[in-house]
Short mmCIF file of all heavy atoms in Angstrom, two decimals:
data_model
loop_
_atom_site.label_atom_id
_atom_site.label_comp_id
_atom_site.label_asym_id
_atom_site.label_seq_id
_atom_site.Cartn_x
_atom_site.Cartn_y
_atom_site.Cartn_z
N GLY A 1 -3.16 -12.18 -4.48
CA GLY A 1 -3.35 -13.58 -4.84
C GLY A 1 -2.75 -14.51 -3.81
O GLY A 1 -2.40 -14.09 -2.70
N LEU A 2 -2.58 -15.76 -4.21
CA LEU A 2 -2.01 -16.79 -3.34
C LEU A 2 -0.57 -17.08 -3.81
O LEU A 2 -0.33 -17.28 -5.01
CB LEU A 2 -2.81 -18.06 -3.45
CG LEU A 2 -2.28 -19.32 -2.70
CD1 LEU A 2 -2.25 -19.05 -1.20
CD2 LEU A 2 -3.17 -20.50 -3.04
N VAL A 3 0.33 -17.05 -2.87
CA VAL A 3 1.77 -17.29 -3.19
C VAL A 3 2.40 -18.09 -2.06
O VAL A 3 1.94 -18.04 -0.90
CB VAL A 3 2.47 -15.94 -3.37
CG1 VAL A 3 2.51 -15.11 -2.07
CG2 VAL A 3 3.88 -16.12 -3.94
N GLN A 4 3.41 -18.83 -2.43
CA GLN A 4 4.13 -19.64 -1.39
C GLN A 4 5.11 -18.77 -0.62
O GLN A 4 5.55 -17.72 -1.11
CB GLN A 4 4.83 -20.82 -2.07
CG GLN A 4 3.93 -21.86 -2.61
CD GLN A 4 4.69 -23.05 -3.15
OE1 GLN A 4 5.84 -22.96 -3.57
NE2 GLN A 4 4.04 -24.22 -3.16
N THR A 5 5.46 -19.23 0.55
CA THR A 5 6.53 -18.57 1.33
C THR A 5 7.77 -18.38 0.50
O THR A 5 8.20 -19.27 -0.19
CB THR A 5 6.81 -19.39 2.59
OG1 THR A 5 5.65 -19.46 3.42
CG2 THR A 5 7.95 -18.76 3.38
N GLY A 6 8.30 -17.17 0.56
CA GLY A 6 9.47 -16.82 -0.19
C GLY A 6 9.19 -16.25 -1.56
O GLY A 6 10.11 -15.75 -2.24
N GLY A 7 7.95 -16.28 -1.98
CA GLY A 7 7.55 -15.76 -3.29
C GLY A 7 7.39 -14.26 -3.31
O GLY A 7 7.63 -13.57 -2.29
N SER A 8 7.00 -13.74 -4.47
CA SER A 8 6.85 -12.30 -4.66
C SER A 8 5.51 -11.99 -5.31
O SER A 8 4.94 -12.82 -6.05
CB SER A 8 7.96 -11.78 -5.58
OG SER A 8 9.23 -11.94 -4.98
N LEU A 9 5.03 -10.80 -5.03
CA LEU A 9 3.83 -10.24 -5.66
C LEU A 9 4.07 -8.75 -5.85
O LEU A 9 4.77 -8.14 -5.05
CB LEU A 9 2.58 -10.45 -4.83
CG LEU A 9 1.94 -11.85 -4.80
CD1 LEU A 9 0.81 -11.86 -3.76
CD2 LEU A 9 1.42 -12.28 -6.13
N ARG A 10 3.42 -8.20 -6.86
CA ARG A 10 3.44 -6.74 -7.03
C ARG A 10 2.00 -6.26 -7.05
O ARG A 10 1.22 -6.65 -7.91
CB ARG A 10 4.17 -6.31 -8.30
CG ARG A 10 4.31 -4.79 -8.34
CD ARG A 10 5.09 -4.33 -9.58
NE ARG A 10 4.26 -4.30 -10.78
CZ ARG A 10 4.49 -3.55 -11.83
NH1 ARG A 10 5.55 -2.75 -11.88
NH2 ARG A 10 3.71 -3.60 -12.92
N LEU A 11 1.68 -5.41 -6.08
CA LEU A 11 0.36 -4.82 -6.02
C LEU A 11 0.38 -3.49 -6.79
O LEU A 11 1.38 -2.77 -6.75
CB LEU A 11 -0.05 -4.58 -4.58
CG LEU A 11 -0.03 -5.79 -3.65
CD1 LEU A 11 -0.54 -5.39 -2.27
CD2 LEU A 11 -0.82 -6.93 -4.24
N SER A 12 -0.75 -3.16 -7.39
CA SER A 12 -0.91 -1.89 -8.08
C SER A 12 -2.10 -1.15 -7.56
O SER A 12 -3.14 -1.78 -7.20
CB SER A 12 -1.10 -2.14 -9.58
OG SER A 12 -0.01 -2.80 -10.17
N CYS A 13 -2.00 0.14 -7.49
CA CYS A 13 -3.10 1.00 -7.07
C CYS A 13 -3.28 2.06 -8.14
O CYS A 13 -2.47 3.00 -8.24
CB CYS A 13 -2.82 1.64 -5.71
SG CYS A 13 -4.07 2.85 -5.19
N LEU A 14 -4.32 1.90 -8.92
CA LEU A 14 -4.63 2.87 -9.99
C LEU A 14 -5.54 3.96 -9.44
O LEU A 14 -6.59 3.66 -8.88
CB LEU A 14 -5.30 2.15 -11.16
CG LEU A 14 -5.79 3.03 -12.31
CD1 LEU A 14 -4.58 3.73 -12.97
CD2 LEU A 14 -6.53 2.19 -13.32
N VAL A 15 -5.11 5.19 -9.61
CA VAL A 15 -5.84 6.33 -9.07
C VAL A 15 -6.51 7.10 -10.21
O VAL A 15 -5.87 7.37 -11.24
CB VAL A 15 -4.87 7.27 -8.32
CG1 VAL A 15 -5.66 8.43 -7.70
CG2 VAL A 15 -4.16 6.50 -7.23
N SER A 16 -7.78 7.44 -10.02
CA SER A 16 -8.46 8.27 -11.02
C SER A 16 -8.07 9.71 -10.80
O SER A 16 -8.45 10.33 -9.82
CB SER A 16 -9.98 8.13 -10.86
OG SER A 16 -10.40 8.56 -9.60
N GLY A 17 -7.25 10.22 -11.69
CA GLY A 17 -6.72 11.57 -11.50
C GLY A 17 -5.25 11.54 -11.20
O GLY A 17 -4.68 10.49 -10.92
N SER A 18 -4.65 12.70 -11.22
CA SER A 18 -3.21 12.79 -11.03
C SER A 18 -2.81 12.51 -9.59
O SER A 18 -3.40 13.08 -8.65
CB SER A 18 -2.71 14.19 -11.44
OG SER A 18 -1.36 14.35 -11.08
N ILE A 19 -1.81 11.67 -9.42
CA ILE A 19 -1.37 11.36 -8.06
C ILE A 19 -0.53 12.51 -7.50
O ILE A 19 -0.22 12.58 -6.33
CB ILE A 19 -0.57 10.04 -7.97
CG1 ILE A 19 0.64 10.04 -8.94
CG2 ILE A 19 -1.47 8.89 -8.27
CD1 ILE A 19 1.47 8.79 -8.85
N PHE A 20 -0.21 13.51 -8.34
CA PHE A 20 0.46 14.69 -7.86
C PHE A 20 -0.42 15.49 -6.91
O PHE A 20 0.06 16.30 -6.13
CB PHE A 20 0.90 15.60 -9.03
CG PHE A 20 2.11 15.13 -9.74
CD1 PHE A 20 2.04 14.71 -11.05
CD2 PHE A 20 3.34 15.11 -9.11
CE1 PHE A 20 3.17 14.29 -11.73
CE2 PHE A 20 4.47 14.70 -9.77
CZ PHE A 20 4.38 14.27 -11.09
N SER A 21 -1.75 15.32 -7.02
CA SER A 21 -2.67 16.10 -6.24
C SER A 21 -2.79 15.63 -4.79
O SER A 21 -3.47 16.28 -3.99
CB SER A 21 -4.07 16.07 -6.91
OG SER A 21 -4.64 14.79 -6.82
N PHE A 22 -2.09 14.56 -4.45
CA PHE A 22 -2.18 14.00 -3.11
C PHE A 22 -0.91 14.28 -2.35
O PHE A 22 0.21 14.26 -2.87
CB PHE A 22 -2.45 12.52 -3.16
CG PHE A 22 -3.72 12.17 -3.84
CD1 PHE A 22 -3.72 11.68 -5.14
CD2 PHE A 22 -4.95 12.35 -3.20
CE1 PHE A 22 -4.91 11.38 -5.80
CE2 PHE A 22 -6.14 12.02 -3.85
CZ PHE A 22 -6.11 11.55 -5.16
N ASN A 23 -1.05 14.53 -1.02
CA ASN A 23 0.10 14.79 -0.17
C ASN A 23 0.91 13.52 0.07
O ASN A 23 2.12 13.60 0.25
CB ASN A 23 -0.34 15.36 1.18
CG ASN A 23 -1.00 16.71 1.02
OD1 ASN A 23 -0.81 17.40 0.03
ND2 ASN A 23 -1.80 17.05 2.02
N ALA A 24 0.21 12.43 0.12
CA ALA A 24 0.87 11.18 0.44
C ALA A 24 0.04 10.02 -0.16
O ALA A 24 -1.16 10.12 -0.33
CB ALA A 24 0.99 10.99 1.95
N MET A 25 0.76 8.94 -0.46
CA MET A 25 0.12 7.69 -0.89
C MET A 25 0.69 6.60 -0.06
O MET A 25 1.88 6.58 0.28
CB MET A 25 0.49 7.44 -2.38
CG MET A 25 0.07 8.51 -3.34
SD MET A 25 -1.71 8.61 -3.62
CE MET A 25 -2.07 7.01 -4.31
N GLY A 26 -0.17 5.62 0.28
CA GLY A 26 0.35 4.56 1.14
C GLY A 26 -0.39 3.24 0.94
O GLY A 26 -1.48 3.19 0.37
N TRP A 27 0.27 2.20 1.38
CA TRP A 27 -0.30 0.87 1.42
C TRP A 27 -0.49 0.46 2.88
O TRP A 27 0.44 0.60 3.68
CB TRP A 27 0.60 -0.13 0.71
CG TRP A 27 0.57 -0.06 -0.78
CD1 TRP A 27 1.43 0.60 -1.59
CD2 TRP A 27 -0.40 -0.68 -1.63
NE1 TRP A 27 1.07 0.47 -2.89
CE2 TRP A 27 -0.07 -0.34 -2.96
CE3 TRP A 27 -1.53 -1.47 -1.43
CZ2 TRP A 27 -0.78 -0.77 -4.08
CZ3 TRP A 27 -2.25 -1.91 -2.52
CH2 TRP A 27 -1.90 -1.55 -3.83
N TYR A 28 -1.65 -0.08 3.18
CA TYR A 28 -1.97 -0.57 4.49
C TYR A 28 -2.43 -2.03 4.36
O TYR A 28 -2.81 -2.46 3.28
CB TYR A 28 -3.11 0.24 5.10
CG TYR A 28 -2.73 1.66 5.49
CD1 TYR A 28 -2.49 2.62 4.51
CD2 TYR A 28 -2.56 2.01 6.83
CE1 TYR A 28 -2.10 3.90 4.87
CE2 TYR A 28 -2.22 3.31 7.21
CZ TYR A 28 -1.96 4.25 6.21
OH TYR A 28 -1.61 5.51 6.56
N ARG A 29 -2.44 -2.73 5.47
CA ARG A 29 -2.93 -4.09 5.46
C ARG A 29 -3.67 -4.38 6.76
O ARG A 29 -3.41 -3.81 7.78
CB ARG A 29 -1.80 -5.10 5.26
CG ARG A 29 -0.83 -5.23 6.41
CD ARG A 29 0.33 -6.16 6.01
NE ARG A 29 1.27 -6.32 7.11
CZ ARG A 29 2.46 -6.95 6.97
NH1 ARG A 29 2.79 -7.50 5.81
NH2 ARG A 29 3.24 -7.07 8.01
N GLN A 30 -4.61 -5.33 6.64
CA GLN A 30 -5.36 -5.76 7.80
C GLN A 30 -5.51 -7.26 7.75
O GLN A 30 -6.12 -7.78 6.78
CB GLN A 30 -6.73 -5.07 7.87
CG GLN A 30 -7.48 -5.40 9.17
CD GLN A 30 -8.65 -4.50 9.37
OE1 GLN A 30 -9.18 -3.89 8.45
NE2 GLN A 30 -9.09 -4.39 10.63
N ALA A 31 -4.95 -7.93 8.74
CA ALA A 31 -5.10 -9.37 8.85
C ALA A 31 -6.33 -9.68 9.70
O ALA A 31 -6.74 -8.84 10.52
CB ALA A 31 -3.84 -9.97 9.45
N PRO A 32 -6.90 -10.88 9.59
CA PRO A 32 -8.06 -11.24 10.38
C PRO A 32 -7.80 -11.10 11.88
O PRO A 32 -6.79 -11.56 12.37
CB PRO A 32 -8.30 -12.70 10.01
CG PRO A 32 -7.74 -12.85 8.64
CD PRO A 32 -6.53 -11.92 8.64
N GLY A 33 -8.70 -10.39 12.57
CA GLY A 33 -8.55 -10.22 13.99
C GLY A 33 -7.53 -9.19 14.46
O GLY A 33 -7.31 -9.05 15.64
N LYS A 34 -6.96 -8.48 13.47
CA LYS A 34 -5.92 -7.48 13.80
C LYS A 34 -6.35 -6.13 13.27
O LYS A 34 -7.19 -5.98 12.41
CB LYS A 34 -4.57 -7.89 13.21
CG LYS A 34 -4.00 -9.15 13.80
CD LYS A 34 -2.59 -9.41 13.31
CE LYS A 34 -1.98 -10.64 13.93
NZ LYS A 34 -0.58 -10.87 13.48
N GLN A 35 -5.70 -5.09 13.85
CA GLN A 35 -5.95 -3.74 13.40
C GLN A 35 -5.23 -3.48 12.07
O GLN A 35 -4.19 -4.10 11.76
CB GLN A 35 -5.48 -2.72 14.43
CG GLN A 35 -6.35 -2.68 15.68
CD GLN A 35 -5.98 -1.52 16.59
OE1 GLN A 35 -4.83 -1.09 16.60
NE2 GLN A 35 -6.96 -1.00 17.29
N ARG A 36 -5.76 -2.57 11.31
CA ARG A 36 -5.12 -2.15 10.08
C ARG A 36 -3.81 -1.44 10.44
O ARG A 36 -3.74 -0.65 11.34
CB ARG A 36 -6.02 -1.24 9.27
CG ARG A 36 -5.46 -0.86 7.90
CD ARG A 36 -6.55 -0.26 7.02
NE ARG A 36 -7.18 0.86 7.63
CZ ARG A 36 -8.32 1.42 7.18
NH1 ARG A 36 -8.91 0.91 6.11
NH2 ARG A 36 -8.84 2.46 7.76
N GLU A 37 -2.76 -1.76 9.65
CA GLU A 37 -1.45 -1.16 9.91
C GLU A 37 -0.87 -0.62 8.64
O GLU A 37 -1.12 -1.11 7.54
CB GLU A 37 -0.51 -2.20 10.51
CG GLU A 37 -0.21 -3.38 9.59
CD GLU A 37 0.88 -4.29 10.16
OE1 GLU A 37 1.54 -3.94 11.16
OE2 GLU A 37 1.05 -5.38 9.59
N LEU A 38 -0.03 0.40 8.80
CA LEU A 38 0.70 0.98 7.68
C LEU A 38 1.80 0.01 7.25
O LEU A 38 2.56 -0.46 8.09
CB LEU A 38 1.31 2.34 8.06
CG LEU A 38 2.20 2.98 7.02
CD1 LEU A 38 1.43 3.39 5.79
CD2 LEU A 38 2.94 4.17 7.63
N VAL A 39 1.89 -0.23 5.94
CA VAL A 39 2.93 -1.08 5.41
C VAL A 39 4.05 -0.21 4.81
O VAL A 39 5.21 -0.39 5.11
CB VAL A 39 2.41 -2.02 4.33
CG1 VAL A 39 3.51 -2.83 3.72
CG2 VAL A 39 1.33 -2.96 4.92
N ALA A 40 3.64 0.74 3.95
CA ALA A 40 4.61 1.59 3.29
C ALA A 40 3.93 2.85 2.82
O ALA A 40 2.75 2.82 2.51
CB ALA A 40 5.25 0.87 2.10
N ALA A 41 4.70 3.97 2.79
CA ALA A 41 4.11 5.22 2.41
C ALA A 41 5.09 6.06 1.58
O ALA A 41 6.32 5.95 1.76
CB ALA A 41 3.67 6.02 3.63
N LEU A 42 4.52 6.84 0.69
CA LEU A 42 5.27 7.81 -0.11
C LEU A 42 4.76 9.19 0.27
O LEU A 42 3.61 9.48 0.14
CB LEU A 42 4.99 7.59 -1.60
CG LEU A 42 5.78 6.56 -2.39
CD1 LEU A 42 5.16 6.35 -3.75
CD2 LEU A 42 7.21 7.01 -2.52
N THR A 43 5.69 10.03 0.76
CA THR A 43 5.32 11.40 1.08
C THR A 43 6.33 12.35 0.42
O THR A 43 7.28 11.90 -0.23
CB THR A 43 5.35 11.59 2.60
OG1 THR A 43 6.71 11.57 3.06
CG2 THR A 43 4.56 10.53 3.35
N SER A 44 6.15 13.62 0.66
CA SER A 44 7.08 14.61 0.13
C SER A 44 8.45 14.44 0.73
O SER A 44 9.46 14.88 0.16
CB SER A 44 6.57 16.02 0.36
OG SER A 44 6.36 16.24 1.74
N ALA A 45 8.50 13.81 1.91
CA ALA A 45 9.79 13.63 2.59
C ALA A 45 10.50 12.34 2.17
O ALA A 45 11.63 12.12 2.52
CB ALA A 45 9.54 13.60 4.12
N GLY A 46 9.80 11.51 1.40
CA GLY A 46 10.41 10.27 0.94
C GLY A 46 9.51 9.08 1.21
O GLY A 46 8.30 9.17 1.17
N THR A 47 10.15 7.94 1.51
CA THR A 47 9.37 6.73 1.75
C THR A 47 9.60 6.28 3.20
O THR A 47 10.63 6.56 3.83
CB THR A 47 9.83 5.59 0.83
OG1 THR A 47 11.24 5.36 1.02
CG2 THR A 47 9.58 5.97 -0.64
#
């Protein structure tokens, strides 16, 4: 959504099926004119 500088948002990713079946889960972002980049990831090694 739209938020002012300094504000907060919580994104959710609902997966069909157990998330245990995946090696890793992550959030990526892509701004206009830029490449997609990794924001945060959860793996067996941590975050």
Side-chain angles (χ1 to χ4, degrees):
L2 174 64
V3 63
Q4 291 185 334
T5 297
S8 297
L9 285 173
R10 189 178 78 158
L11 305 183
S12 300
C13 175
L14 175 62
V15 182
S16 62
S18 172
I19 57 177
F20 282 115
S21 68
F22 300 102
N23 296 339
M25 303 288 299
W27 284 96
Y28 290 72
R29 68 186 181 188
Q30 186 168 21
K34 295 187 177 181
Q35 289 189 330
R36 185 165 57 193
E37 62 173 350
L38 173 67
V39 175
L42 276 170
T43 71
S44 58
T47 57

